[in-house]
Amino acid sequence: MNWKTVLRLISIDIKSSRLIRGTRLGSILENKVLTTVLYVGACICGAIVGWLIGNFYSGVPDPALKEAIFKGATSLFVTFPTLALIYGLVFTQMSQIQRIGVKVSIQPLYWYPITWGEHTLASIIANLIGAPLIITVFICSSILVASAFLGLIALAVCTVLALMGSLFTASITTEIVKVLQVRVSGAVTKVAGRTAVWVRLLGTIIFLIVFYLVYFTLVYGASFTALIESMAGGQRILWFIPYLWFGITLSAIVNGLNFEAVIFALTSIGFIYALFVAAVRLNAKFGLYEAPSITISRGTYTPKTGLLGKLGFSSLEAAIMRKDFKAFTRRRELMYIFIMPIVFILMPIVSSIRGTADTMPSIFSKFLFVYIALLPGTLMAVSIGSILTGSEGESIWYVHASPVSAKSYVKAKYFFTVFFSLAVTVICILFAAVWTAPSLRTVLIGFFEAFLLVLALSMVSLSFGIKGADFRELPRPRMIRPLWSLINMAICLALALAIISPMIPYAVKILFESIFLPIDLSTIISESYLYSALFLSAIIATIIFFTFYRITVKNAETLLSSAGG
Amino acid sequence: MELEASVHLHAVKLMGVSKRYGNVTAVEYIDLEVGKGEIVGLLGPNGSGKSTTIKMILGLVKPDTGSVNVLGINVKEDPIGVKRKIGYVPESPRIYEFLTGLEFLDFTGDVYGMAPDEKKKRIEEFVKALDLEGREGDMISSYSEGMKQKVVIISALMHKPQLLLLDEPLSGLDPKSARIVKDLLRELASQGVTTIMSTHVLEIAQAMCDRIAIMYNGRLLALGTMQELREKAMMPESRLEDIFLKLTGTGDVKPIVEALMK
Ligand SMILES: Nc1ncnc2c1ncn2[C@@H]1O[C@H](COP(=O)(O)OP(=O)(O)O)[C@@H](O)[C@H]1O
Ligand SMILES: [Mg+2]
């Protein structure tokens, strides 16, 4: 193993992941000084926290309490390795997910004299740079400083070592999962044949849902202290899981079981080594694996006459819509869009499970209905509208060269956004209706408002999506320039509030009618208010729609008539 | 009738067309007339303005001065009408990789409003002729560069355009397919289809084109048949390569080669 090569590969990886993220944060981190400041800052913050804890401990007069704190600290130390394992896995998987759709990865430079061992090690370490390492620096410095006051230096040093080991294990695991994922999905593609596209879409969505479910459960779900308590005791029962061996080593040290501690320490090191060897072997075998091409049709070709033609779309408009539909079901970076509504539904579910499982308070359930009915569909419209033009990528020359008029272009892109977002809205409303059991009237009102939001905001974000389109595809499809994306979101937020504003008094009345209020709202907000509010909402949405229709067509004219100046 | 005919005499007419990008003059006051059924080659070194000229004919780039007229239509006034009559192959094209070759061609047929039967017939013929059979149902992401180029060429030809604008069309093609495309262009020319193609490969220009336009630094240095170019360069027996090197003033390459060999 040539360490210089490994270091060089790591620095290449860091640079390329900055390019991939392409965020402004990336360019801040580019600055070596600032990077150093981040790590040193984490170290100093950790030290301060450790110092505060230590001082607090020293200041406690009651020996019983002191004893309790001491015990608590040791059991906390014991849990750190497993904790590091979990956040290590979450963050390294997250960075893998960020790379979905990246065109040029830092492929193993197989024509260079680099061994697979060097390549794998570099990839494992590079994965940890950033959030996982900063968190680790923070934890380690606070442990070390606090332990000086508690007189636990030896244990603290062991904890730091075990924590590093766990973090490393997490990253190796992610590396192994990465290689296997490519290989397995390739095999599935081969077996699935025509249905490969759908299998891939479903597989990606399920993977992301599971990931976010775990993530939200960790972040919002099970209470943190309960987790630590159960881990401190539970680790030893699960001794046969190698991933926990670092934690078990520590708890053996705490309990003075020296022989057990030595055994588990040695086996943990053996485990890391075995895992690393497995990762290297897998990389050597499948690292250059090219997924087989997906064959979608065989045999004779028969042109389809679609449903869209009957709905009043010209063959050109229908063709563009069909092409975009295929893009969203086949391009992995666009599939990401699908999980957004699912995540929005998952978040409140997970956080409501955390509370008592009794009947939901009615305000909460009403609020939840509004949230699920309006938010996912509207967000879908805003995000699809804003990336739909940029998603053409470098193939945009084809649109430029085609006999497509600005109006046709806008029509095809607009209705694609609307159809997609409305489908999401309907599914979400059905889901919310089953879950929170609102009155039929509430459902209809919710649908009406969601409908208005989707119709108006699709056009708004389409216009910004054209204006701010970014067709660059390397290293990652950009779709829209960040500034225009922000402008779009801000304006859509303001306009969404404008559209629903007439309904706000009514919503307040519905939400709080069961609660005592100083004024009797029902006399002020009568039935007829509801209908005029709905009407007013519709008018505002219509005005927004037509205003932005003009702007969008103008933007599309500019887009279509100028390729490269 | 007479008037109608004279208006349509030219397939493409550029008058005093120029285009600047900041300080770079990509194209400088070009006048060019291309007759119907003619194959004209734009020949010039890299950066001489060939691609820019083609894009201006298609209406993708707006000229700073002058006017472009295609098949009797002013490009500025009816850009979509013009695009409908043109088949275009850009240089190193990127196409929708998530579609299959067949889906992309089907898409093209719909974009140009072809009838389903005709679309089917044309696609099947072309796929067969250019040896794409068996792979047409695979996603384009798995195609080689040459196969992608073939798909783009088919998409430019299949809707029976009256004018073909081909930017380095034969780069990346295997010899057999290149030959088929060459023969096809000749055949189309005899049916009145006009072709303007850019290339920096002299042999292709000499073998395929009725007339050759030599471009250099955004200017049109010479335009004519091989014979006319020879006369202009006063090199009666020469090959195109020597004429080209003489006209572009880059004739003496010996010192360069010697310097490189050191
Ligand atoms: N979009 C553009 N922006 C800036 N400069 C350009 C652009 N397109 C072309 N140019 C410049 O114009 C000149 C002519 O380019 P081009 O027409 O592509 O030449 P050719 O196709 O003959 O190689 C070159 O110097 C090139 O750098
Ligand atoms: Mg060029």
Side-chain angles (χ1 to χ4, degrees):
Chain A
M1 186 123 355
N2 183 339
W3 294 98
K4 257 191 188 156
T5 311
V6 173
L7 284 179
R8 221 169 274 144
L9 285 175
I10 293 173
S11 80
I12 292 173
D13 194 298
I14 295 171
K15 277 182 194 130
S16 80
S17 40
R18 249 180 233 144
L19 277 175
I20 287 162
R21 269 184 267 114
T23 50
R24 225 158 281 133
L25 192 69
S27 62
I28 290 171
L29 284 176
E30 193 103 39
N31 194 328
K32 280 222 173 86
V33 180
L34 274 168
T35 313
T36 319
V37 165
L38 259 174
Y39 283 99
V40 172
C43 189
I44 292 174
C45 285
I48 291 174
V49 169
W51 185 78
L52 287 176
I53 294 173
N55 261 324
F56 175 73
Y57 174 76
S58 313
V60 170
D62 184 2
L65 187 59
K66 236 177 165 157
E67 173 74 19
I69 294 176
F70 187 83
K71 270 222 161 114
T74 48
S75 66
L76 193 65
F77 278 18
V78 169
T79 60
F80 273 131
T82 310
L83 213 61
L85 180 79
I86 294 172
Y87 72 67
L89 278 174
V90 166
F91 278 114
T92 49
Q93 280 295 334
M94 193 90 100
S95 79
Q96 290 305 316
I97 289 174
Q98 273 185 347
R99 293 184 177 210
I100 287 179
V102 169
K103 294 261 153 119
V104 280
S105 53
I106 1 98
Q107 280 248 336
L109 305 165
Y110 54 86
W111 61 91
Y112 281 9
I114 297 171
T115 66
W116 280 107
E118 288 158 359
H119 173 74
T120 309
L121 184 63
S123 168
I124 289 168
I125 295 175
N127 255 339
L128 289 174
I129 284 169
L133 205 57
I134 291 175
I135 293 176
T136 307
V137 166
F138 173 82
I139 293 179
C140 289
S141 76
S142 61
I143 291 178
L144 287 173
V145 172
S147 68
F149 291 85
L150 289 156
L152 285 172
I153 296 258
L155 180 64
V157 171
C158 291
T159 308
V160 168
L161 289 177
L163 204 148
M164 297 286 189
S166 283
L167 204 60
F168 209 64
T169 324
S171 192
I172 303 177
T173 307
T174 295
E175 180 77 16
I176 290 177
V177 169
K178 180 175 84 181
V179 185
L180 287 181
Q181 232 174 11
V182 174
R183 184 63 189 85
V184 169
S185 68
V188 169
T189 301
K190 212 165 188 173
V191 175
R194 298 178 50 108
T195 50
V197 169
W198 302 107
V199 172
R200 213 170 59 143
L201 176 63
L202 223 70
T204 306
I205 291 176
I206 289 173
F207 171 75
L208 291 172
I209 288 176
V210 169
F211 175 78
Y212 276 102
L213 210 54
V214 171
Y215 179 73
F216 285 130
T217 318
L218 286 179
V219 176
Y220 302 110
S223 91
F224 201 64
T225 44
L227 188 74
I228 288 179
E229 272 164 22
S230 67
M231 252 166 33
Q235 274 184 158
R236 299 180 52 122
I237 305 166
L238 301 172
W239 61 269
F240 48 86
I241 299 176
Y243 283 102
L244 301 180
W245 287 349
F246 285 106
I248 295 173
T249 310
L250 280 190
S251 82
I253 294 175
V254 166
N255 293 319
L257 304 168
N258 290 339
F259 178 67
E260 203 182 308
V262 171
I263 295 284
F264 274 104
L266 289 178
T267 47
S268 328
I269 292 168
F271 178 60
I272 282 202
Y273 183 71
L275 215 55
F276 179 70
V277 169
V280 174
R281 292 251 170 94
L282 282 171
N283 252 335
K285 202 153 182 207
F286 304 128
L288 290 175
Y289 175 78
E290 288 269 349
S293 61
I294 297 184
T295 304
I296 289 172
S297 56
R298 281 203 195 288
T300 50
Y301 149 68
T302 36
K304 285 192 206 75
T305 44
L307 174 74
L308 289 169
K310 296 196 188 79
L311 291 174
F313 293 97
S314 70
S315 75
L316 180 149
E317 290 152 4
I320 294 178
M321 290 169 78
R322 274 202 299 272
K323 183 217 59 162
D324 284 334
F325 180 75
K326 284 172 186 150
F328 273 85
T329 50
R330 294 180 191 178
R331 289 175 61 178
R332 292 197 69 194
E333 69 275 17
L334 293 182
M335 287 177 194
Y336 212 88
I337 283 276
F338 288 105
I339 62 147
M340 198 175 57
I342 300 170
V343 166
F344 266 91
I345 294 174
L346 280 182
M347 258 192 323
I349 293 182
V350 171
S351 52
S352 73
I353 288 171
R354 161 210 204 169
T356 48
D358 301 338
T359 49
M360 273 181 280
S362 79
I363 290 186
F364 180 67
S365 89
K366 277 172 184 160
F367 182 76
L368 203 61
F369 175 78
V370 174
Y371 170 86
I372 297 181
L374 298 188
L375 213 54
T378 311
L379 269 176
M380 201 79 168
V382 171
S383 38
I384 293 188
S386 66
I387 63 168
L388 200 50
T389 296
S391 73
E392 297 278 341
E394 282 161 17
S395 307
I396 189 67
W397 70 267
Y398 187 91
V399 176
H400 284 310
S402 311
V404 50
S405 68
K407 281 190 176 147
S408 278
Y409 180 85
V410 172
K411 190 176 162 192
K413 296 282 180 185
Y414 175 72
F415 280 102
F416 178 82
T417 312
V418 166
F419 286 164
F420 232 98
S421 312
L422 280 186
V424 169
T425 304
V426 168
I427 294 169
C428 284
I429 286 183
L430 286 180
F431 185 86
V434 170
W435 189 25
T436 66
S439 66
L440 180 63
R441 231 171 72 135
T442 313
V443 173
L444 289 179
I445 294 171
F447 183 73
F448 185 74
E449 288 294 315
F451 187 70
L452 292 181
L453 285 171
V454 167
L455 289 192
L457 297 187
S458 294
M459 191 52 92
V460 175
S461 49
L462 200 56
S463 82
F464 289 114
I466 298 174
K467 186 89 189 166
D470 190 342
F471 298 111
R472 285 174 299 170
E473 287 195 53
L474 293 176
R476 181 197 57 157
R478 301 291 177 91
M479 321 271 189
I480 183 166
R481 275 172 279 166
L483 179 64
W484 283 102
S485 173
L486 279 179
I487 292 175
N488 178 43
M489 278 192 262
I491 290 185
C492 279
L493 179 66
L495 294 179
L497 288 178
I499 291 173
I500 59 170
S501 62
M503 295 300 296
I504 289 174
Y506 183 77
V508 168
K509 178 195 159 199
I510 292 284
L511 285 176
F512 297 107
E513 71 192 343
S514 51
I515 297 177
F516 169 77
L517 282 175
I519 40 166
D520 187 7
L521 282 173
S522 51
T523 54
I524 306 167
I525 301 159
S526 57
E527 276 306 282
S528 58
Y529 177 84
L530 170 63
Y531 294 109
S532 34
L534 287 174
F535 184 67
L536 198 59
S537 238
I539 300 250
I540 296 172
T542 314
I543 292 172
I544 293 172
F545 172 84
F546 279 107
T547 312
F548 274 89
Y549 175 68
R550 289 228 186 98
I551 298 175
T552 313
V553 170
K554 275 237 171 63
N555 290 349
E557 271 163 8
T558 316
L559 169 80
L560 293 173
S561 66
S562 61
Chain B
M1 285 294 277
E2 287 270 336
L3 198 75
E4 185 84 9
S6 71
V7 166
H8 284 260
L9 212 59
H10 309 291
V12 174
K13 190 168 180 182
L14 302 182
M15 282 182 296
V17 171
S18 48
K19 177 72 193 174
R20 294 175 64 88
Y21 291 108
N23 292 329
V24 181
T25 304
V27 171
E28 202 168 359
Y29 290 103
I30 281 190
D31 292 306
L32 176 67
E33 282 181 23
V34 178
K36 271 193 177 168
E38 224 184 340
I39 300 181
V40 169
L42 297 180
L43 189 63
N46 300 324
S48 56
K50 306 181 296 288
S51 299
T52 306
T53 306
I54 287 179
K55 283 182 190 161
M56 286 194 289
I57 298 173
L58 184 57
L60 294 189
V61 169
K62 286 204 173 54
D64 297 331
T65 66
S67 74
V68 181
N69 195 294
V70 173
L71 298 158
I73 306 172
N74 187 327
V75 173
K76 211 160 103 190
E77 278 156 21
D78 183 9
I80 292 167
V82 167
K83 285 177 190 173
R84 208 168 273 139
K85 298 184 175 188
I86 295 180
Y88 174 51
V89 174
E91 65 184 327
S92 46
R94 290 280 308 271
I95 48 177
Y96 304 113
E97 305 225 318
F98 54 88
L99 296 179
T100 67
L102 203 57
E103 284 170 341
F104 181 72
L105 296 175
D106 184 67
F107 172 63
T108 300
D110 288 339
V111 164
Y112 287 88
M114 293 173 76
D117 293 340
E118 200 196 348
K119 190 169 70 178
K120 179 178 158 71
K121 189 170 144 269
R122 301 281 288 171
I123 291 177
E124 280 172 354
E125 282 169 7
F126 272 114
V127 163
K128 196 164 180 199
L130 292 185
D131 277 338
L132 282 174
E133 264 182 323
R135 294 298 305 277
E136 73 272 32
D138 291 2
M139 275 208 210
I140 293 175
S141 55
S142 70
Y143 286 11
S144 68
E145 287 304 310
M147 289 166 72
K148 287 179 195 166
Q149 185 78 5
K150 286 179 189 176
V151 173
V152 178
I153 290 176
I154 298 175
S155 87
L157 294 176
M158 64 181 275
H159 56 94
K160 298 199 167 165
Q162 285 161 264
L163 172 64
L164 288 169
L165 298 176
L166 313 177
D167 205 345
E168 315 269 356
L170 302 183
S171 63
L173 286 197
D174 54 79
K176 185 186 165 197
S177 302
R179 179 61 193 268
I180 289 173
V181 172
K182 277 188 210 168
D183 290 353
L184 200 63
L185 293 182
R186 276 261 134 258
E187 180 66 28
L188 287 170
S190 71
Q191 294 171 15
V193 175
T194 312
T195 301
I196 297 180
M197 59 184 286
S198 81
T199 180
H200 53 246
V201 182
L202 302 160
E203 289 76 18
I204 293 177
Q206 188 164 5
M208 289 184 63
C209 301
D210 300 319
R211 285 195 300 159
I212 293 167
I214 294 181
M215 292 189 71
Y216 190 64
N217 276 343
R219 278 172 302 125
L220 192 62
L221 289 187
L223 171 68
T225 61
M226 269 308 291
Q227 194 54 42
E228 286 163 0
L229 290 180
R230 281 192 189 110
E231 280 160 17
K232 175 158 186 180
M234 291 176 292
M235 299 166 82
E237 294 301 316
S238 301
R239 295 173 308 138
L240 183 59
E241 182 176 355
D242 300 320
I243 299 173
F244 177 76
L245 292 175
K246 178 169 182 192
L247 285 176
T248 54
T250 48
D252 206 3
V253 291
K254 222 173 163 193
I256 303 174
V257 176
E258 272 167 8
L260 285 175
M261 293 307 289
K262 265 179 200 155

mmCIF file of all heavy atoms in Angstrom, chain B residues 50-51 91 167-168, ligand 2:
data_model
loop_
_atom_site.group_PDB
_atom_site.id
_atom_site.type_symbol
_atom_site.label_atom_id
_atom_site.label_comp_id
_atom_site.label_asym_id
_atom_site.label_seq_id
_atom_site.Cartn_x
_atom_site.Cartn_y
_atom_site.Cartn_z
ATOM 1 N N LYS B 50 -17.421 27.572 -39.057
ATOM 2 C CA LYS B 50 -18.330 26.674 -39.791
ATOM 3 C C LYS B 50 -19.606 26.403 -38.981
ATOM 4 O O LYS B 50 -20.723 26.569 -39.482
ATOM 5 C CB LYS B 50 -17.636 25.333 -40.088
ATOM 6 C CG LYS B 50 -16.307 25.460 -40.811
ATOM 7 C CD LYS B 50 -15.678 24.114 -41.095
ATOM 8 C CE LYS B 50 -15.281 23.317 -39.857
ATOM 9 N NZ LYS B 50 -14.111 23.816 -39.125
ATOM 10 N N SER B 51 -19.421 25.977 -37.743
ATOM 11 C CA SER B 51 -20.589 25.649 -36.927
ATOM 12 C C SER B 51 -21.476 26.866 -36.717
ATOM 13 O O SER B 51 -22.706 26.767 -36.760
ATOM 14 C CB SER B 51 -20.142 25.106 -35.565
ATOM 15 O OG SER B 51 -19.398 23.934 -35.736
ATOM 16 N N GLU B 91 -22.555 19.129 -34.252
ATOM 17 C CA GLU B 91 -21.311 18.395 -34.040
ATOM 18 C C GLU B 91 -21.325 17.814 -32.631
ATOM 19 O O GLU B 91 -21.830 18.411 -31.692
ATOM 20 C CB GLU B 91 -20.084 19.277 -34.286
ATOM 21 C CG GLU B 91 -19.894 20.430 -33.329
ATOM 22 C CD GLU B 91 -18.699 21.292 -33.713
ATOM 23 O OE1 GLU B 91 -17.705 20.746 -34.243
ATOM 24 O OE2 GLU B 91 -18.768 22.507 -33.476
ATOM 25 N N ASP B 167 -23.227 19.068 -39.441
ATOM 26 C CA ASP B 167 -21.986 19.585 -38.869
ATOM 27 C C ASP B 167 -21.082 18.398 -38.531
ATOM 28 O O ASP B 167 -21.334 17.686 -37.572
ATOM 29 C CB ASP B 167 -22.314 20.406 -37.608
ATOM 30 C CG ASP B 167 -21.245 21.433 -37.313
ATOM 31 O OD1 ASP B 167 -20.152 21.323 -37.884
ATOM 32 O OD2 ASP B 167 -21.510 22.340 -36.497
ATOM 33 N N GLU B 168 -20.074 18.193 -39.318
ATOM 34 C CA GLU B 168 -19.160 17.050 -39.156
ATOM 35 C C GLU B 168 -19.949 15.740 -39.042
ATOM 36 O O GLU B 168 -19.826 15.020 -38.052
ATOM 37 C CB GLU B 168 -18.312 17.211 -37.889
ATOM 38 C CG GLU B 168 -17.731 18.578 -37.673
ATOM 39 C CD GLU B 168 -16.344 18.723 -38.284
ATOM 40 O OE1 GLU B 168 -15.829 17.724 -38.799
ATOM 41 O OE2 GLU B 168 -15.817 19.843 -38.273
HETATM 42 MG MG MG C 2 -17.506 23.254 -35.569
#
